[in-house]
Amino acid sequence: MASYTLQINGSSREVDVAPGTSLLRVLREHLGLTGTKYGCGIAQCGSCTIHLDGNPVRACVLQVDNITEEQQITTIEGLSENSDHPLQQAWVEAQVPQCGYCQSGQIMQAAALLEKNPNPSIEEIKTHMNGVLCRCGTYLRILKTIELATSPTTLKS
C-alpha cells in the first residue's frame, strides 16, 4: 500500500491504495464518488470520464500513482454544488437519459468542450463527443441538449 494525496473537487483527499490502482477504483471504492461509472475498463466507452486539470480523461486507465498532488481532478459530483451546471439543467429539461449509465461521462465530456468553446457548432460538438458511447442510442438528444446548454436562455451557473 502507498499513500496518495489527491485534489478532488476542490478538496485535498488522502487515500492508501496499492500502486497501479486505477483512479476510477479510487474514486468509487475508496472515496465513495460513484457518479463516475465503470464501463469497459479500456478507455473506449467514456463512462468514466472525469476532468484532470480541465481536460476530459478516462479514469479507468489512469493510475493513481501517475497523478501529481498538484493536479486538479473534477468528477461529476464536483461539476457544480447543486447539480445546477447549465449542462445538468439542460439534461433534466430535455430528459436526455434513457438508462442513464453513460450520462455522467457524456456531461463531463461536454462540459470540457463548453469550457474551452462556449458556443460550438454542431460539427464541433459531434467531433468532441465522439468516443463517449451511449448503449441506448440517445445521441440526437445529447447533441440537442448540448446546444440547449449554450443557448442564452439557459440558466448559467
Side-chain angles (χ1 to χ4, degrees):
M1 294 295 228
S3 183
Y4 300 94
T5 301
L6 303 171
Q7 304 305 316
I8 302 175
N9 298 332
S11 297
S12 185
R13 304 287 299 266
E14 184 110 3
V15 294
D16 293 317
V17 296
T21 302
S22 76
L23 180 59
L24 178 61
R25 288 193 62 204
V26 170
L27 293 171
R28 291 183 59 79
E29 297 170 17
H30 298 275
L31 298 175
L33 298 170
T34 58
T36 304
K37 305 297 185 210
Y38 176 85
C40 66
I42 57 172
Q44 295 298 303
C45 74
S47 291
C48 66
T49 301
I50 58 153
H51 294 171
L52 183 63
D53 292 333
N55 297 307
V57 295
R58 307 303 190 247
C60 69
V61 294
L62 188 58
Q63 295 179 354
V64 68
D65 40 316
N66 290 331
I67 300 170
T68 67
E69 198 170 321
E70 294 77 31
Q71 289 179 296
Q72 300 296 314
I73 298 165
T74 305
T75 67
I76 190 72
E77 292 92 347
L79 192 59
S80 66
E81 283 187 39
N82 300 308
S83 298
D84 58 0
H85 185 281
L87 278 168
Q88 291 169 309
Q89 291 178 332
W91 237 255
V92 171
E93 184 177 325
Q95 299 179 1
V96 172
Q98 190 163 324
C99 82
Y101 197 80
C102 70
Q103 299 308 301
S104 60
Q106 298 280 358
I107 290 170
M108 293 303 287
Q109 185 78 14
L113 169 64
L114 298 184
E115 186 64 32
K116 290 179 174 53
N117 181 358
N119 195 19
S121 70
I122 191 69
E123 288 307 315
E124 290 170 319
I125 295 170
K126 286 179 184 178
T127 298
H128 187 80
M129 296 303 292
N130 190 23
V132 183
L133 304 179
C134 175
R135 291 175 178 97
C136 300
T138 63
Y139 297 111
L140 292 178
R141 284 189 282 193
I142 290 167
L143 293 174
K144 288 180 183 187
T145 302
I146 295 168
E147 285 184 308
L148 176 64
T150 65
S151 161
T153 59
T154 302
L155 295 173
K156 302 290 180 189
S157 60

